[in-house]
Amino acid sequence: MELQLPPHEGEELSVVDMHTGGEPLRIIHSGYPEVKGDSVLSKRRYVREHLDHLRRVLMYEPRGHYDMYGALVVDSEVPEADLGVLFMHNEGYSTMCGHAVIALGRFAVDYKLVKEPQSPETQVNIHCPCGLVKAFVEYSDGKTGGVRFLSVPAFAFATDVTVSVERFGEVTVDISYGGAFYAFVDAQRFGLDVTKSRTRDLVDAATAVTNAVKCQVKLHHPTSDDLAFLYGTILTDGKDNYSSDPTANICVFAEAQVDRSPTGSGVTARVALQYHKGLIQLNQTRTFQSGATESQFTGKAVEETKCGDFKAVVVEVAGRAFYTGVSRFVQEPDDKLTHGFLLK
């Protein structure tokens, strides 16, 4: 017996669910109203101001959960883009998401958003709010596999910045950009281990750092004020010198949301930071491991470039994404919880 949608009002919301290194991605396939705007950044502003109730419907319980992550495919104003995308999470809308780009690369090929896939790799140009990101999807015998992408220009914004952090006193952090801004600090500064400590303790420390940096450090981005905000804090194992061994980190972003993957844009920013400090060279590949799930991405700086006055690098990040299912969501008008809720 084929399952039928229950009685409901309004459009059904169809999604494809994936994960990259354990981090979920809910790709909205159909059911969203028209997203107005003449650029991806203006579309990001539009959904935040006019369609945010649908983010809560799909990200929050009972259809999602506190750490759900989503992607809405939109048209791009950039001629060479195969698709545009808006990223969403428990707090709002981000400007870059590497784990989502890896998943979207597979999705774009499998769902025929690109013409005539090529072996051994198919290029997918994804226009993110931070800029155009080029993904390369393994493709053989009609099947997609691993994905690598080339980042927008990534750069170290500031190093050895001292901030006053509630409960922890003065803490020295680095701030780097990989499509979004992150603060970086060794977890040992708080007596923690990113692979062994309780997630709650890691979240508390990272959130305290994020709050301090937001209050005490003014960020700016050379191309757009929309990009000039701190997305989160990444706690590391402190192993920043080049090594063939994996280095672990955990990212706490948005409203204390925990990334299950090594964080694609975070890896990008961390590679840029390590390159800035002279700890790695061009085309030296490092393995980055999630402190939460032990899943791994690789990352390397492949080219020097500029972003405004900042010396920057293009970073290649690679990983795997997998499908977990498809869903068709509805809303019943007499459901008092239909608009979603979060337990904090």
Side-chain angles (χ1 to χ4, degrees):
M1 177 181 173
E2 182 181 353
L3 290 176
Q4 300 294 323
L5 280 176
H8 65 281
E9 292 185 0
E11 293 287 332
E12 67 178 77
L13 293 162
S14 296
V15 303
V16 176
D17 280 337
M18 302 181 72
H19 82 89
T20 310
E23 179 68 1
L25 184 69
R26 174 161 287 169
I27 302 170
I28 302 159
H29 186 256
S30 64
Y32 243 70
E34 178 189 2
V35 178
K36 298 179 181 179
D38 57 6
S39 68
V40 167
L41 272 175
S42 65
K43 287 179 168 70
R44 177 175 175 264
R45 290 191 291 270
Y46 182 85
V47 296
R48 186 173 58 205
E49 295 169 3
H50 301 284
L51 299 176
D52 199 52
H53 61 286
L54 292 177
R55 175 187 64 86
R56 295 192 295 269
V57 165
L58 289 173
M59 297 297 102
Y60 289 11
E61 295 186 55
R63 301 170 190 86
H65 55 81
Y66 192 87
D67 295 301
M68 179 57 77
Y69 203 97
L72 174 63
V73 176
V74 297
D75 292 332
S76 167
E77 76 277 13
V78 177
E80 61 265 40
D82 294 298
L83 65 150
V85 63
L86 304 177
F87 304 116
M88 60 184 71
H89 45 69
N90 68 9
E91 184 185 47
Y93 304 88
S94 58
T95 53
M96 173 57 188
C97 179
H99 94 272
V101 165
I102 291 170
L104 285 164
R106 280 198 72 191
F107 174 84
V109 176
D110 291 334
Y111 281 75
K112 298 179 173 51
L113 300 184
V114 294
K115 299 177 181 178
E116 300 181 9
Q118 304 292 317
S119 295
E121 282 187 326
T122 297
Q123 182 172 335
V124 182
N125 293 334
I126 302 174
H127 187 187
C128 306
C130 66
L132 189 70
V133 176
K134 296 179 179 179
F136 301 86
V137 183
E138 293 176 359
Y139 186 77
S140 178
D141 298 325
K143 295 182 179 180
T144 51
V147 179
R148 62 185 180 92
F149 70 82
L150 298 177
S151 74
V152 296
F155 56 88
F157 177 82
T159 59
D160 298 324
V161 178
T162 300
V163 291
S164 179
V165 179
E166 186 176 358
R167 291 180 47 227
F168 298 104
E170 290 192 346
V171 176
T172 300
V173 305
D174 296 325
I175 302 171
S176 189
Y177 178 82
F181 282 101
Y182 295 95
F184 290 86
V185 60
D186 188 339
Q188 293 181 37
R189 167 61 182 80
F190 310 103
L192 300 174
D193 184 314
V194 293
T195 63
K196 298 177 182 178
S197 295
R198 292 193 318 160
T199 302
R200 181 73 264 163
D201 294 335
L202 293 165
V203 168
D204 288 346
T207 301
V209 172
T210 295
N211 292 339
V213 173
K214 284 182 175 180
C215 291
Q216 299 169 44
V217 181
K218 182 174 177 56
L219 301 179
H220 69 270
H221 190 278
T223 64
S224 175
D225 290 340
D226 284 345
L227 305 177
F229 65 94
L230 188 74
Y231 190 32
T233 291
I234 296 179
L235 302 179
T236 77
D237 60 6
K239 298 177 181 178
D240 287 323
N241 289 313
Y242 176 74
S243 170
S244 59
D245 295 330
T247 175
N249 53 235
I250 190 165
C251 175
V252 181
F253 66 98
E255 186 66 32
Q257 190 162 334
V258 180
D259 196 334
R260 275 71 169 159
S261 79
T263 309
S265 55
V267 166
T268 301
R270 195 173 173 200
V271 168
L273 183 62
Q274 291 174 351
Y275 187 80
H276 173 81
K277 291 185 172 185
L279 302 176
I280 57 171
Q281 305 302 314
L282 287 179
N283 293 307
Q284 283 189 320
T285 300
R286 293 216 65 184
T287 300
F288 296 85
Q289 181 170 298
S290 165
T293 63
E294 298 184 354
S295 59
Q296 295 182 343
F297 292 165
T298 60
K300 62 181 177 181
V302 296
E303 177 188 346
E304 291 184 338
T305 185
K306 295 275 286 185
C307 186
D309 293 331
F310 290 100
K311 293 182 178 179
V313 287
V314 174
V315 178
E316 179 185 289
V317 178
R320 292 290 306 273
F322 298 91
Y323 292 99
T324 57
V326 296
S327 298
R328 298 160 67 191
F329 293 112
V330 298
Q331 293 181 266
E332 290 192 273
D334 56 347
D335 179 4
K336 294 182 179 180
L337 298 178
T338 191
H339 299 298
F341 62 92
L342 286 181
L343 296 182
K344 298 185 179 182

mmCIF file of all heavy atoms in Angstrom, residues 140-181:
data_model
loop_
_atom_site.group_PDB
_atom_site.id
_atom_site.type_symbol
_atom_site.label_atom_id
_atom_site.label_comp_id
_atom_site.label_asym_id
_atom_site.label_seq_id
_atom_site.Cartn_x
_atom_site.Cartn_y
_atom_site.Cartn_z
ATOM 1 N N SER A 140 31.450 7.700 -11.575
ATOM 2 C CA SER A 140 31.865 6.530 -12.341
ATOM 3 C C SER A 140 30.707 5.556 -12.437
ATOM 4 O O SER A 140 30.051 5.262 -11.433
ATOM 5 C CB SER A 140 33.068 5.845 -11.661
ATOM 6 O OG SER A 140 33.458 4.690 -12.374
ATOM 7 N N ASP A 141 30.450 5.063 -13.653
ATOM 8 C CA ASP A 141 29.389 4.080 -13.888
ATOM 9 C C ASP A 141 28.043 4.555 -13.359
ATOM 10 O O ASP A 141 27.263 3.780 -12.795
ATOM 11 C CB ASP A 141 29.751 2.729 -13.259
ATOM 12 C CG ASP A 141 31.012 2.113 -13.855
ATOM 13 O OD1 ASP A 141 31.221 2.287 -15.072
ATOM 14 O OD2 ASP A 141 31.777 1.487 -13.106
ATOM 15 N N GLY A 142 27.771 5.859 -13.508
ATOM 16 C CA GLY A 142 26.491 6.406 -13.094
ATOM 17 C C GLY A 142 26.342 6.640 -11.614
ATOM 18 O O GLY A 142 25.247 6.998 -11.150
ATOM 19 N N LYS A 143 27.416 6.491 -10.842
ATOM 20 C CA LYS A 143 27.337 6.651 -9.396
ATOM 21 C C LYS A 143 28.257 7.781 -8.930
ATOM 22 O O LYS A 143 29.373 7.921 -9.416
ATOM 23 C CB LYS A 143 27.713 5.346 -8.683
ATOM 24 C CG LYS A 143 26.753 4.196 -8.945
ATOM 25 C CD LYS A 143 27.170 2.954 -8.177
ATOM 26 C CE LYS A 143 26.192 1.810 -8.410
ATOM 27 N NZ LYS A 143 26.590 0.579 -7.670
ATOM 28 N N THR A 144 27.777 8.545 -7.953
ATOM 29 C CA THR A 144 28.575 9.610 -7.354
ATOM 30 C C THR A 144 29.302 9.092 -6.115
ATOM 31 O O THR A 144 28.868 8.124 -5.481
ATOM 32 C CB THR A 144 27.684 10.798 -6.957
ATOM 33 O OG1 THR A 144 26.583 10.312 -6.175
ATOM 34 C CG2 THR A 144 27.143 11.511 -8.192
ATOM 35 N N GLY A 145 30.418 9.760 -5.793
ATOM 36 C CA GLY A 145 31.205 9.341 -4.640
ATOM 37 C C GLY A 145 31.696 10.524 -3.831
ATOM 38 O O GLY A 145 30.936 11.427 -3.492
ATOM 39 N N GLY A 146 32.985 10.526 -3.535
ATOM 40 C CA GLY A 146 33.583 11.586 -2.736
ATOM 41 C C GLY A 146 33.539 12.927 -3.445
ATOM 42 O O GLY A 146 33.408 13.014 -4.676
ATOM 43 N N VAL A 147 33.643 13.987 -2.661
ATOM 44 C CA VAL A 147 33.565 15.351 -3.186
ATOM 45 C C VAL A 147 34.698 16.183 -2.598
ATOM 46 O O VAL A 147 34.997 16.078 -1.406
ATOM 47 C CB VAL A 147 32.210 16.015 -2.845
ATOM 48 C CG1 VAL A 147 32.156 17.441 -3.383
ATOM 49 C CG2 VAL A 147 31.050 15.187 -3.385
ATOM 50 N N ARG A 148 35.319 16.985 -3.435
ATOM 51 C CA ARG A 148 36.257 17.998 -2.974
ATOM 52 C C ARG A 148 35.771 19.353 -3.479
ATOM 53 O O ARG A 148 35.069 19.433 -4.488
ATOM 54 C CB ARG A 148 37.681 17.713 -3.463
ATOM 55 C CG ARG A 148 37.832 17.726 -4.973
ATOM 56 C CD ARG A 148 39.230 17.309 -5.424
ATOM 57 N NE ARG A 148 39.350 17.320 -6.877
ATOM 58 C CZ ARG A 148 39.774 18.345 -7.609
ATOM 59 N NH1 ARG A 148 40.145 19.484 -7.000
ATOM 60 N NH2 ARG A 148 39.856 18.277 -8.922
ATOM 61 N N PHE A 149 36.117 20.397 -2.755
ATOM 62 C CA PHE A 149 35.739 21.730 -3.227
ATOM 63 C C PHE A 149 36.870 22.716 -3.014
ATOM 64 O O PHE A 149 37.734 22.534 -2.148
ATOM 65 C CB PHE A 149 34.442 22.220 -2.563
ATOM 66 C CG PHE A 149 34.546 22.548 -1.090
ATOM 67 C CD1 PHE A 149 35.043 23.769 -0.653
ATOM 68 C CD2 PHE A 149 34.122 21.628 -0.132
ATOM 69 C CE1 PHE A 149 35.127 24.083 0.696
ATOM 70 C CE2 PHE A 149 34.201 21.927 1.219
ATOM 71 C CZ PHE A 149 34.701 23.154 1.637
ATOM 72 N N LEU A 150 36.855 23.766 -3.836
ATOM 73 C CA LEU A 150 37.802 24.863 -3.723
ATOM 74 C C LEU A 150 37.088 26.048 -3.105
ATOM 75 O O LEU A 150 36.053 26.502 -3.603
ATOM 76 C CB LEU A 150 38.366 25.232 -5.100
ATOM 77 C CG LEU A 150 39.159 24.136 -5.814
ATOM 78 C CD1 LEU A 150 39.589 24.606 -7.198
ATOM 79 C CD2 LEU A 150 40.375 23.725 -4.994
ATOM 80 N N SER A 151 37.653 26.549 -2.035
ATOM 81 C CA SER A 151 36.994 27.586 -1.239
ATOM 82 C C SER A 151 37.075 28.951 -1.896
ATOM 83 O O SER A 151 37.849 29.184 -2.843
ATOM 84 C CB SER A 151 37.664 27.670 0.140
ATOM 85 O OG SER A 151 38.942 28.294 0.028
ATOM 86 N N VAL A 152 36.285 29.867 -1.376
ATOM 87 C CA VAL A 152 36.508 31.282 -1.647
ATOM 88 C C VAL A 152 37.812 31.676 -0.953
ATOM 89 O O VAL A 152 38.338 30.926 -0.120
ATOM 90 C CB VAL A 152 35.335 32.128 -1.119
ATOM 91 C CG1 VAL A 152 34.044 31.794 -1.847
ATOM 92 C CG2 VAL A 152 35.163 31.945 0.394
ATOM 93 N N PRO A 153 38.394 32.824 -1.280
ATOM 94 C CA PRO A 153 39.628 33.238 -0.604
ATOM 95 C C PRO A 153 39.473 33.230 0.919
ATOM 96 O O PRO A 153 38.555 33.835 1.471
ATOM 97 C CB PRO A 153 39.861 34.652 -1.140
ATOM 98 C CG PRO A 153 39.256 34.620 -2.510
ATOM 99 C CD PRO A 153 38.034 33.765 -2.380
ATOM 100 N N ALA A 154 40.384 32.515 1.573
ATOM 101 C CA ALA A 154 40.350 32.350 3.030
ATOM 102 C C ALA A 154 41.572 33.040 3.627
ATOM 103 O O ALA A 154 42.665 32.995 3.052
ATOM 104 C CB ALA A 154 40.343 30.864 3.389
ATOM 105 N N PHE A 155 41.395 33.642 4.810
ATOM 106 C CA PHE A 155 42.497 34.423 5.360
ATOM 107 C C PHE A 155 42.434 34.483 6.884
ATOM 108 O O PHE A 155 41.363 34.347 7.491
ATOM 109 C CB PHE A 155 42.481 35.853 4.798
ATOM 110 C CG PHE A 155 41.190 36.594 5.005
ATOM 111 C CD1 PHE A 155 40.956 37.337 6.152
ATOM 112 C CD2 PHE A 155 40.195 36.551 4.033
ATOM 113 C CE1 PHE A 155 39.770 38.030 6.343
ATOM 114 C CE2 PHE A 155 38.998 37.243 4.214
ATOM 115 C CZ PHE A 155 38.785 37.978 5.362
ATOM 116 N N ALA A 156 43.610 34.672 7.474
ATOM 117 C CA ALA A 156 43.697 34.942 8.910
ATOM 118 C C ALA A 156 43.338 36.398 9.133
ATOM 119 O O ALA A 156 43.963 37.301 8.570
ATOM 120 C CB ALA A 156 45.103 34.647 9.422
ATOM 121 N N PHE A 157 42.311 36.630 9.942
ATOM 122 C CA PHE A 157 41.872 38.003 10.209
ATOM 123 C C PHE A 157 42.717 38.646 11.301
ATOM 124 O O PHE A 157 43.143 39.792 11.179
ATOM 125 C CB PHE A 157 40.399 37.991 10.618
ATOM 126 C CG PHE A 157 39.859 39.347 10.975
ATOM 127 C CD1 PHE A 157 39.445 40.220 9.977
ATOM 128 C CD2 PHE A 157 39.760 39.751 12.298
ATOM 129 C CE1 PHE A 157 38.945 41.476 10.298
ATOM 130 C CE2 PHE A 157 39.270 41.006 12.625
ATOM 131 C CZ PHE A 157 38.862 41.880 11.627
ATOM 132 N N ALA A 158 42.963 37.913 12.377
ATOM 133 C CA ALA A 158 43.764 38.429 13.494
ATOM 134 C C ALA A 158 44.284 37.245 14.302
ATOM 135 O O ALA A 158 43.587 36.238 14.472
ATOM 136 C CB ALA A 158 42.937 39.346 14.378
ATOM 137 N N THR A 159 45.515 37.361 14.798
ATOM 138 C CA THR A 159 46.105 36.300 15.611
ATOM 139 C C THR A 159 46.491 36.835 16.983
ATOM 140 O O THR A 159 46.747 38.032 17.148
ATOM 141 C CB THR A 159 47.352 35.702 14.926
ATOM 142 O OG1 THR A 159 48.316 36.734 14.706
ATOM 143 C CG2 THR A 159 46.982 35.072 13.587
ATOM 144 N N ASP A 160 46.482 35.929 17.936
ATOM 145 C CA ASP A 160 46.889 36.250 19.308
ATOM 146 C C ASP A 160 46.103 37.429 19.877
ATOM 147 O O ASP A 160 46.658 38.378 20.441
ATOM 148 C CB ASP A 160 48.388 36.534 19.376
ATOM 149 C CG ASP A 160 49.226 35.326 18.974
ATOM 150 O OD1 ASP A 160 48.819 34.196 19.300
ATOM 151 O OD2 ASP A 160 50.268 35.508 18.322
ATOM 152 N N VAL A 161 44.804 37.368 19.710
ATOM 153 C CA VAL A 161 43.911 38.392 20.242
ATOM 154 C C VAL A 161 43.475 37.985 21.646
ATOM 155 O O VAL A 161 43.007 36.864 21.859
ATOM 156 C CB VAL A 161 42.666 38.559 19.345
ATOM 157 C CG1 VAL A 161 41.713 39.601 19.929
ATOM 158 C CG2 VAL A 161 43.072 38.931 17.930
ATOM 159 N N THR A 162 43.638 38.874 22.599
ATOM 160 C CA THR A 162 43.243 38.581 23.980
ATOM 161 C C THR A 162 41.848 39.134 24.246
ATOM 162 O O THR A 162 41.596 40.325 24.028
ATOM 163 C CB THR A 162 44.247 39.172 24.977
ATOM 164 O OG1 THR A 162 45.543 38.616 24.744
ATOM 165 C CG2 THR A 162 43.829 38.858 26.414
ATOM 166 N N VAL A 163 40.965 38.256 24.708
ATOM 167 C CA VAL A 163 39.604 38.671 25.062
ATOM 168 C C VAL A 163 39.321 38.225 26.488
ATOM 169 O O VAL A 163 39.899 37.242 26.987
ATOM 170 C CB VAL A 163 38.551 38.086 24.106
ATOM 171 C CG1 VAL A 163 38.676 38.704 22.719
ATOM 172 C CG2 VAL A 163 38.643 36.572 24.028
ATOM 173 N N SER A 164 38.448 38.939 27.141
ATOM 174 C CA SER A 164 38.041 38.599 28.500
ATOM 175 C C SER A 164 36.798 37.716 28.418
ATOM 176 O O SER A 164 35.742 38.163 27.957
ATOM 177 C CB SER A 164 37.752 39.860 29.301
ATOM 178 O OG SER A 164 37.334 39.529 30.614
ATOM 179 N N VAL A 165 36.933 36.463 28.857
ATOM 180 C CA VAL A 165 35.870 35.471 28.711
ATOM 181 C C VAL A 165 35.266 35.163 30.078
ATOM 182 O O VAL A 165 35.984 34.840 31.029
ATOM 183 C CB VAL A 165 36.417 34.181 28.072
ATOM 184 C CG1 VAL A 165 35.313 33.137 27.932
ATOM 185 C CG2 VAL A 165 37.055 34.478 26.714
ATOM 186 N N GLU A 166 33.955 35.289 30.168
ATOM 187 C CA GLU A 166 33.258 35.019 31.422
ATOM 188 C C GLU A 166 33.583 33.624 31.932
ATOM 189 O O GLU A 166 33.547 32.659 31.188
ATOM 190 C CB GLU A 166 31.750 35.166 31.222
ATOM 191 C CG GLU A 166 30.953 35.055 32.510
ATOM 192 C CD GLU A 166 29.466 35.304 32.309
ATOM 193 O OE1 GLU A 166 29.069 35.598 31.156
ATOM 194 O OE2 GLU A 166 28.713 35.217 33.293
ATOM 195 N N ARG A 167 33.917 33.529 33.209
ATOM 196 C CA ARG A 167 34.269 32.288 33.917
ATOM 197 C C ARG A 167 35.698 31.824 33.656
ATOM 198 O O ARG A 167 36.235 31.025 34.418
ATOM 199 C CB ARG A 167 33.319 31.136 33.561
ATOM 200 C CG ARG A 167 31.900 31.291 34.094
ATOM 201 C CD ARG A 167 31.027 30.119 33.695
ATOM 202 N NE ARG A 167 31.685 28.838 33.937
ATOM 203 C CZ ARG A 167 31.721 27.848 33.062
ATOM 204 N NH1 ARG A 167 31.151 27.966 31.874
ATOM 205 N NH2 ARG A 167 32.330 26.714 33.364
ATOM 206 N N PHE A 168 36.336 32.316 32.569
ATOM 207 C CA PHE A 168 37.658 31.810 32.218
ATOM 208 C C PHE A 168 38.743 32.884 32.221
ATOM 209 O O PHE A 168 39.919 32.572 32.055
ATOM 210 C CB PHE A 168 37.622 31.133 30.850
ATOM 211 C CG PHE A 168 36.708 29.943 30.780
ATOM 212 C CD1 PHE A 168 35.481 30.038 30.154
ATOM 213 C CD2 PHE A 168 37.075 28.741 31.366
ATOM 214 C CE1 PHE A 168 34.622 28.936 30.088
ATOM 215 C CE2 PHE A 168 36.233 27.637 31.308
ATOM 216 C CZ PHE A 168 35.008 27.729 30.672
ATOM 217 N N GLY A 169 38.369 34.139 32.380
ATOM 218 C CA GLY A 169 39.360 35.203 32.399
ATOM 219 C C GLY A 169 39.870 35.531 31.007
ATOM 220 O O GLY A 169 39.170 35.366 30.004
ATOM 221 N N GLU A 170 41.118 35.989 30.923
ATOM 222 C CA GLU A 170 41.691 36.371 29.641
ATOM 223 C C GLU A 170 42.079 35.130 28.841
ATOM 224 O O GLU A 170 42.745 34.221 29.350
ATOM 225 C CB GLU A 170 42.914 37.269 29.847
ATOM 226 C CG GLU A 170 42.551 38.653 30.382
ATOM 227 C CD GLU A 170 43.711 39.628 30.316
ATOM 228 O OE1 GLU A 170 44.862 39.168 30.102
ATOM 229 O OE2 GLU A 170 43.472 40.838 30.442
ATOM 230 N N VAL A 171 41.644 35.103 27.593
ATOM 231 C CA VAL A 171 41.901 33.973 26.690
ATOM 232 C C VAL A 171 42.439 34.530 25.381
ATOM 233 O O VAL A 171 41.932 35.524 24.850
ATOM 234 C CB VAL A 171 40.612 33.171 26.424
ATOM 235 C CG1 VAL A 171 40.869 32.054 25.407
ATOM 236 C CG2 VAL A 171 40.069 32.587 27.722
ATOM 237 N N THR A 172 43.492 33.895 24.862
ATOM 238 C CA THR A 172 44.081 34.308 23.586
ATOM 239 C C THR A 172 43.498 33.464 22.462
ATOM 240 O O THR A 172 43.525 32.232 22.521
ATOM 241 C CB THR A 172 45.608 34.159 23.608
ATOM 242 O OG1 THR A 172 46.141 34.982 24.663
ATOM 243 C CG2 THR A 172 46.226 34.588 22.292
ATOM 244 N N VAL A 173 42.974 34.131 21.449
ATOM 245 C CA VAL A 173 42.326 33.441 20.337
ATOM 246 C C VAL A 173 42.906 33.927 19.020
ATOM 247 O O VAL A 173 43.495 35.013 18.933
ATOM 248 C CB VAL A 173 40.795 33.649 20.343
ATOM 249 C CG1 VAL A 173 40.195 33.247 21.674
ATOM 250 C CG2 VAL A 173 40.437 35.098 20.010
ATOM 251 N N ASP A 174 42.736 33.112 17.988
ATOM 252 C CA ASP A 174 42.976 33.512 16.608
ATOM 253 C C ASP A 174 41.622 33.581 15.907
ATOM 254 O O ASP A 174 40.704 32.818 16.231
ATOM 255 C CB ASP A 174 43.868 32.500 15.879
ATOM 256 C CG ASP A 174 45.266 32.410 16.473
ATOM 257 O OD1 ASP A 174 45.784 33.443 16.918
ATOM 258 O OD2 ASP A 174 45.819 31.290 16.484
ATOM 259 N N ILE A 175 41.512 34.490 14.937
ATOM 260 C CA ILE A 175 40.278 34.626 14.176
ATOM 261 C C ILE A 175 40.614 34.480 12.699
ATOM 262 O O ILE A 175 41.516 35.149 12.185
ATOM 263 C CB ILE A 175 39.601 35.985 14.437
ATOM 264 C CG1 ILE A 175 39.302 36.142 15.938
ATOM 265 C CG2 ILE A 175 38.318 36.122 13.616
ATOM 266 C CD1 ILE A 175 38.843 37.542 16.320
ATOM 267 N N SER A 176 39.891 33.580 12.037
ATOM 268 C CA SER A 176 40.195 33.302 10.637
ATOM 269 C C SER A 176 38.895 33.136 9.856
ATOM 270 O O SER A 176 37.848 32.781 10.415
ATOM 271 C CB SER A 176 41.061 32.039 10.528
ATOM 272 O OG SER A 176 41.547 31.849 9.213
ATOM 273 N N TYR A 177 38.989 33.375 8.553
ATOM 274 C CA TYR A 177 37.819 33.363 7.671
ATOM 275 C C TYR A 177 37.949 32.257 6.633
ATOM 276 O O TYR A 177 38.965 32.149 5.946
ATOM 277 C CB TYR A 177 37.682 34.708 6.961
ATOM 278 C CG TYR A 177 36.535 34.789 5.988
ATOM 279 C CD1 TYR A 177 35.239 35.054 6.426
ATOM 280 C CD2 TYR A 177 36.736 34.609 4.620
ATOM 281 C CE1 TYR A 177 34.180 35.135 5.531
ATOM 282 C CE2 TYR A 177 35.689 34.691 3.721
ATOM 283 C CZ TYR A 177 34.407 34.951 4.182
ATOM 284 O OH TYR A 177 33.373 35.016 3.294
ATOM 285 N N GLY A 178 36.909 31.442 6.502
ATOM 286 C CA GLY A 178 36.877 30.394 5.492
ATOM 287 C C GLY A 178 35.535 30.331 4.798
ATOM 288 O O GLY A 178 35.015 29.249 4.534
ATOM 289 N N GLY A 179 34.979 31.510 4.509
ATOM 290 C CA GLY A 179 33.609 31.623 4.030
ATOM 291 C C GLY A 179 32.692 32.091 5.145
ATOM 292 O O GLY A 179 31.580 32.571 4.929
ATOM 293 N N ALA A 180 33.163 31.921 6.367
ATOM 294 C CA ALA A 180 32.561 32.453 7.593
ATOM 295 C C ALA A 180 33.705 32.668 8.581
ATOM 296 O O ALA A 180 34.756 32.034 8.483
ATOM 297 C CB ALA A 180 31.522 31.492 8.165
ATOM 298 N N PHE A 181 33.500 33.578 9.539
ATOM 299 C CA PHE A 181 34.530 33.863 10.535
ATOM 300 C C PHE A 181 34.397 32.923 11.735
ATOM 301 O O PHE A 181 33.285 32.687 12.239
ATOM 302 C CB PHE A 181 34.409 35.303 11.028
ATOM 303 C CG PHE A 181 34.960 36.323 10.078
ATOM 304 C CD1 PHE A 181 34.102 37.062 9.264
ATOM 305 C CD2 PHE A 181 36.325 36.565 9.999
ATOM 306 C CE1 PHE A 181 34.592 38.022 8.389
ATOM 307 C CE2 PHE A 181 36.831 37.524 9.130
ATOM 308 C CZ PHE A 181 35.961 38.249 8.319
#
